[in-house]
Amino acid sequence: MTKQSFIRGTMILLAAGLLNRILGFVPRITLPRVVGAEGVGLYQLGYPLLVVLLTVITGGIPLAVAKLVAAAESEGNERKAKDVLRLSLVLAVLLAAVFTGALLLGARWMSTELLNDERVYYTLLTMSPMLLVVGVSAVFRGYFQGRQNMIPTALSQTAETVVRIVAMLAFAYVLLPYGVAFAAAGAMLGVTVGELCGLAVIVFQYFRTRSAYKSFHSATIGSGGGTLRRFAVSFRELLRIAIPVTGSRMVGSASYFLESVMTVKALAIAGVAVAAATAQYGTLQGMVIPVLLLPGVLTYSLSVSLVPTLAEAAARGDTKLIHKRLHQSLRLALVSGAPFAVLMYVLAEPICFFLYGDAEVGGMLKLMAPVAIFLYFQGPLQATLQALDRPGTALLNTFYGAAIKLTLIYILATQPEFGIYGVLAAINVNIALVTILHWNSVVRLVKYYFPLGDLFRTGLAAGAAGWAAHYIFLEEWHPSPLLRFLAAGSIAVVLYLVFVVALKLVDKDDVGRLPFPRKK
């Protein structure tokens, strides 16, 4: 099978991810209009618990599969690659079965005691089948990532997104007459249906391609050792990589879950009613954060592609290639993320008004926009630490940030004068701190330094675009706010691209790495 290069693989995932993020905004925009902020809050309260359980089941397994399959393929040991896949599937299924049972048995207690809202019970029930589906799907995505073939993952993600959009809105609308709790549960059920479709696509891709991998490596299949011995060796290698990575991600997932629990309880201490607290949390996590994460599709794609390429470069001791790939990732994250951060700050209110019909949500977005660049850098930096066998360092950095975030939520959100904005401030501090700690760890590990000239020139380009957007939107040159908003955004992006080319932030070599012929 044909591998994709680092840039080509990144661009394939980027194209799929960008399409999925754009499509994903359909339910983000319409779901609040169907179920309201309170319904979104019930959906979002169940989601952090899902993330925690999925982290335990799949947190480090896909990355371990990717690294071991990539190493086996470089050695020509096809049998080991298949052993790793089989062991990972068995492990994921067993973990999913255990935690699905635990979720079903404890859903009532968790909804009332932990999440402080008994209506979340139905959302927890409908999300329980997702544990097995996502667990198996994640293993196959790690397998193809190790093969450096990103097409099956891209197809799977796109199919999952399309089906999820339709199913979420359909189930939420159908169940809304039974109450907002059932509507939120219907939205979560739609997510489960979408994940099931994504799994079907990637399993089909596996059966379609496995014979090609077998024939390609038929002359170099590994030898030696009985079946049980081979499985034992592969299982130990799998756990050696997966456990620290799972621990690292578990800190972030657990802090996300505790954030949801502490937010509702802290707002209650501040005198906010349960229903209002649920609605405020739904506004933050269901409306503001998704807008902030939209440009992160590139950094996610870069992070996924970085792991196998940096792992191979580290195995060869190729420091120059490590620096090159890391610089490519960080520079692309900066150049693509900076204009979005500026525009989210300058046009926060109109963005939220035209997306959700509520300009007041823009106040939250405006306060989070300045830390967006830290967020976009965080993915590639964490992927670098994991690829270079420093998951423990990433774990500690994430733990420090989570501890400070939860402490600040308790200190600030319990004060009536801060409320939900205290939660927002705590999240901002967490994002910036973890990114700075990751940066410091990577610099010390590989002796890499990001050119300050790139940072200054990107800031200049983004600042010019932000000024243009602000001026065009506020000037009363046309009575339609929507037309002024679209013109402000479009002209700002064009101006930014002009500055990018003029300041040589992107050159012909960068364009030549895109997945189309250099001559074009």
Side-chain angles (χ1 to χ4, degrees):
M1 288 295 294
T2 303
K3 292 184 181 181
Q4 291 100 35
S5 66
F6 167 68
I7 291 294
R8 187 179 294 271
T10 299
M11 294 304 295
I12 289 172
L13 288 179
L14 172 61
L18 186 59
L19 175 62
N20 294 340
R21 287 290 176 92
I22 293 173
L23 292 175
F25 258 92
V26 175
R28 293 288 187 185
I29 296 169
T30 55
L31 189 61
R33 299 173 185 268
V34 175
V35 301
E38 193 174 347
V40 173
L42 292 173
Y43 170 84
Q44 289 295 150
L45 279 176
Y47 192 76
L49 177 60
L50 174 65
V51 172
V52 170
L53 297 178
L54 289 179
T55 300
V56 177
I57 297 169
T58 69
I61 294 178
L63 178 66
V65 172
K67 293 185 69 172
L68 292 177
V69 168
E73 190 171 42
S74 66
E75 297 167 0
N77 191 345
E78 179 65 15
R79 184 165 60 182
K80 182 177 180 180
K82 297 297 176 64
D83 288 347
V84 169
L85 177 62
R86 295 188 186 103
L87 283 170
S88 303
L89 286 172
V90 171
L91 182 60
V93 169
L94 289 177
L95 288 172
V98 170
F99 284 100
T100 299
L103 177 60
L104 291 174
L105 292 174
R108 180 71 69 180
W109 177 82
M110 285 183 283
S111 60
T112 55
E113 299 299 325
L114 285 181
L115 301 175
N116 213 39
D117 195 326
E118 61 182 8
R119 297 173 298 173
V120 186
Y121 172 71
Y122 303 104
T123 300
L124 299 184
L125 291 183
T126 53
M127 79 184 190
S128 58
M130 208 184 310
L131 301 180
L132 177 61
V133 175
V134 175
V136 174
S137 182
V139 170
F140 279 108
R141 289 177 183 178
Y143 170 79
F144 282 111
Q145 181 186 345
R147 299 287 193 183
Q148 296 186 40
N149 180 8
M150 306 303 175
I151 293 176
T153 297
L155 293 175
S156 171
Q157 290 174 341
T158 303
E160 180 271 325
T161 301
V162 172
V163 174
R164 171 167 52 86
I165 290 170
V166 177
M168 277 184 71
L169 297 176
F171 286 132
Y173 180 77
V174 169
L175 293 176
L176 183 60
Y178 299 95
V180 68
F182 286 95
M188 186 63 76
L189 180 61
V191 177
T192 303
V193 173
E195 291 288 353
L196 187 61
C197 180
L199 173 62
V201 171
I202 204 163
V203 169
F204 171 77
Q205 290 294 316
Y206 169 74
F207 284 107
R208 189 179 68 85
T209 59
R210 65 174 182 169
S211 59
Y213 288 124
K214 182 177 180 180
S215 63
F216 184 76
H217 291 283
S218 59
T220 55
I221 292 178
S223 59
T227 302
L228 289 178
R229 183 172 177 273
R230 288 199 336 266
F231 277 129
V233 171
S234 297
F235 188 66
R236 284 196 298 270
E237 292 178 339
L238 185 71
L239 293 183
R240 180 181 62 83
I241 300 172
I243 289 176
V245 175
T246 300
S248 176
R249 294 181 178 174
M250 190 64 194
V251 172
S253 300
S255 73
Y256 182 34
F257 174 64
L258 291 175
E259 173 194 314
S260 66
V261 173
M262 290 185 64
T263 295
V264 176
K265 293 185 179 296
L267 292 176
I269 293 174
V272 181
V274 172
T278 300
Q280 288 181 6
Y281 185 74
T283 299
L284 175 60
Q285 292 291 343
M287 300 182 190
V288 176
I289 299 294
V291 176
L292 198 74
L293 292 177
L294 179 60
V297 62
L298 175 62
T299 56
Y300 168 77
S301 306
L302 291 168
S303 301
V304 172
S305 299
L306 261 180
V307 172
T309 55
L310 288 186
E312 289 182 7
R316 296 195 304 267
D318 192 345
T319 305
K320 184 177 179 181
L321 181 59
I322 292 175
H323 285 186
K324 179 181 178 181
R325 294 303 188 217
L326 180 57
H327 180 66
Q328 283 178 336
S329 300
L330 295 178
R331 186 159 58 94
L332 285 172
L334 176 64
V335 172
S336 62
F340 284 97
V342 171
L343 290 179
M344 282 187 291
Y345 180 82
V346 173
L347 301 176
E349 286 82 4
I351 287 174
C352 292
F353 176 77
F354 291 118
L355 283 179
Y356 307 119
D358 189 351
E360 292 184 5
V361 178
M364 293 187 185
L365 179 61
K366 180 169 253 182
L367 289 176
M368 297 200 73
V371 301
I373 288 296
F374 290 96
L375 186 62
Y376 307 147
F377 269 159
Q378 194 174 117
L381 290 172
Q382 182 159 318
T384 300
L385 291 173
Q386 292 170 347
L388 300 179
D389 290 325
R390 294 295 188 277
T393 302
L395 169 61
L396 286 176
N397 295 342
T398 306
F399 175 78
Y400 295 145
I404 291 176
K405 177 181 71 172
L406 295 175
T407 302
L408 288 175
I409 287 177
Y410 181 77
I411 293 173
L412 298 177
T414 54
Q415 305 301 316
E417 62 268 27
F418 291 116
I420 192 65
Y421 287 93
V423 179
L424 190 149
I427 294 174
N428 280 354
V429 171
N430 168 258
I431 291 171
L433 178 62
V434 173
T435 303
I436 291 170
L437 291 174
H438 281 351
W439 172 263
N440 184 58
S441 300
V442 169
V443 167
R444 289 193 300 171
L445 181 62
V446 299
K447 303 298 185 293
Y448 167 79
Y449 299 96
F450 191 82
L452 291 178
D454 287 354
L455 193 63
F456 174 77
R457 288 179 292 160
T458 305
L460 179 63
W467 175 84
H470 179 74
Y471 179 80
I472 293 170
F473 180 73
L474 290 183
E475 282 294 312
E476 296 288 343
W477 56 271
H478 195 278
S480 171
L482 177 59
L483 182 60
R484 296 203 310 271
F485 170 69
L486 294 175
S490 302
I491 294 174
V493 170
V494 171
L495 181 62
Y496 178 76
L497 293 176
V498 171
F499 269 87
V500 164
V501 175
L503 297 175
K504 297 183 179 179
L505 289 168
V506 175
D507 54 30
K508 286 192 290 187
D509 288 336
D510 294 316
V511 177
R513 294 189 184 101
L514 298 179
F516 48 75
R518 190 178 290 263
K519 186 175 180 180
K520 288 187 181 179

